[in-house]
């Protein structure tokens, strides 16, 4: 069958029809292309951003659609954006702070129609998404970098979050916040057939500490962690 390739492009390529393209060693755009078995191009999509460096984080086909996650880093100016097709999405929520990173989470069907899932939501476009998982009914689970997200009654602190999203729109169904008195990084999310989530990450604790889980209303669980686990 056909193949999907998520990769990087610098300057104008043979598949780019129109527009001007910056070309230097420190800049790259992400692209997604669908190829037939004979390598003939079915469609090609390139995602421009003022943030200079793209990183492909995830690509997986589920229920007839491909879901992909691309992170962008290195600020260019105070009006940073990501452009998908003919729509430009600002990634500067706070006009007084230049973003150093941003994410593009989207789905694409077999015809090449793209649905952007995070950049139309102020809560999600204001953070970097680190990973992606799938519930059995098709809902998405996304993990964030350390951020202070004003969702429901989450405590005000910079921590990783996990959100459950509707796969067709990216609307938030529910969320969880991981709280630790120390540095916490969230790397991957895996979900089993019983919709249990398995997380991997790292901590930097000077002393033994507790990892708390908040559901938007209250603390619902705690886990004791040793130093530098």
């Amino acid at each position: 069958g056909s193949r999907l390739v998520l990769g990087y492009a610098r300057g104008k390529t043979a598949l780019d029809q129109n527009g001007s393209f910056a070309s230097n060693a420190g800049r790259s755009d992400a692209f997604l292309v669908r190829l037939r078995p004979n390598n003939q191009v079915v469609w090609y999509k390139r995602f421009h951003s003022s943030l200079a460096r793209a990183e492909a984080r995830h690509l997986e086909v589920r229920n007839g659609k491909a879901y992909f996650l691309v992170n962008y880093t290195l600020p260019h100016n105070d009006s940073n954006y990501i452009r998908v097709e003919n729509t430009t999405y600002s990634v500067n929520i706070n006009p007084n702070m230049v973003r150093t990173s941003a994410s593009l989470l989207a789905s694409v069907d077999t015809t090449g129609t793209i649905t952007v899932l995070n950049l139309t939501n102020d809560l999600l476009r204001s953070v970097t998404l680190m990973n992606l998982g799938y519930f059995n009914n098709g809902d998405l689970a996304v993990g964030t970098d350390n951020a202070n997200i004003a969702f429901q009654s989450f405590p005000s602190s910079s921590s990783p979050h996990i959100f459950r999203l509707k796969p067709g729109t990216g609307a938030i169904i529910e969320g969880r916040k991981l709280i630790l008195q120390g540095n916490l990084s969230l790397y991957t999310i895996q979900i089993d057939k019983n919709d249990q989530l398995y997380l991997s990450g790292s901590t930097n604790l000077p002393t033994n500490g507790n990892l708390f889980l908040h559901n938007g209303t209250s603390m619902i669980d705690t886990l004791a962690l040793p130093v530098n686990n």
Side-chain angles (χ1 to χ4, degrees):
S2 61
R3 293 174 291 132
L4 288 174
V5 177
L6 180 63
Y8 311 106
R10 290 194 177 101
K12 188 173 183 179
T13 73
L15 297 177
D16 293 303
Q17 301 299 315
N18 301 301
S20 58
F21 303 92
S23 178
N24 59 67
R27 177 174 183 81
S28 62
D29 288 325
F31 72 83
L32 184 65
V33 61
R34 182 184 178 191
L35 302 172
R36 292 193 173 94
N38 63 358
N39 288 329
Q40 181 181 2
V41 174
V42 180
W43 46 255
Y44 166 82
K45 310 290 181 178
R46 183 165 175 170
F47 311 110
H48 304 284
S49 177
S50 59
L51 297 162
R53 186 166 299 164
E55 177 193 10
R57 299 281 298 185
H58 186 94
L59 173 63
E60 189 167 344
V61 177
R62 292 269 178 160
N63 301 319
K65 290 186 177 182
Y67 293 88
F68 62 96
L69 174 63
V70 177
N71 283 347
Y72 292 87
T73 57
L74 300 181
H76 177 66
N77 54 45
D78 60 0
S79 301
N80 287 320
Y81 66 85
I82 297 173
R83 183 177 299 127
V84 181
E85 305 281 51
N86 295 318
T87 302
T88 300
Y89 300 91
S90 171
V91 296
N92 277 16
I93 303 299
N94 184 347
N96 299 316
M97 180 181 69
V98 176
R99 292 286 305 283
T100 59
S101 63
S103 297
L104 169 61
L105 173 65
S107 67
V108 61
D109 64 18
T110 56
T111 69
T113 300
I114 293 176
T115 301
V116 175
L117 300 174
N118 68 315
L119 297 178
T120 56
N121 184 317
D122 282 353
L123 290 180
L124 295 179
R125 73 185 174 102
S126 66
V127 297
T128 300
L129 304 179
M130 304 304 296
N131 36 60
L132 179 63
Y134 303 88
F135 290 95
N136 289 287
N137 70 347
D139 290 347
L140 309 179
V142 294
T144 77
D145 63 348
N146 285 280
N148 189 5
I149 302 176
F151 178 74
Q152 296 182 344
S153 298
F154 279 149
S156 179
S157 63
S158 184
S159 300
H161 297 68
I162 302 167
F163 290 105
R164 184 169 185 162
L165 311 179
K166 293 183 178 180
T169 63
I172 296 175
I173 300 171
E174 60 180 333
R176 299 289 187 270
K177 182 169 187 170
L178 300 166
I179 301 172
L180 180 70
Q181 295 300 316
N183 186 52
L184 173 63
S185 297
L186 182 61
Y187 297 149
T188 63
I189 296 175
Q190 295 292 329
I191 303 176
D192 68 16
K193 63 180 180 180
N194 296 314
D195 281 342
Q196 296 294 310
L197 273 68
Y198 299 84
L199 311 176
S200 71
S202 65
T203 64
N204 184 8
L205 291 175
T207 61
N208 292 344
N210 291 319
L211 175 64
F212 297 95
L213 184 64
H214 198 284
N215 68 356
T217 302
S218 61
M219 299 291 186
I220 60 173
D221 206 351
T222 182
L223 175 67
L225 295 178
V227 175
N228 291 331
N229 187 34

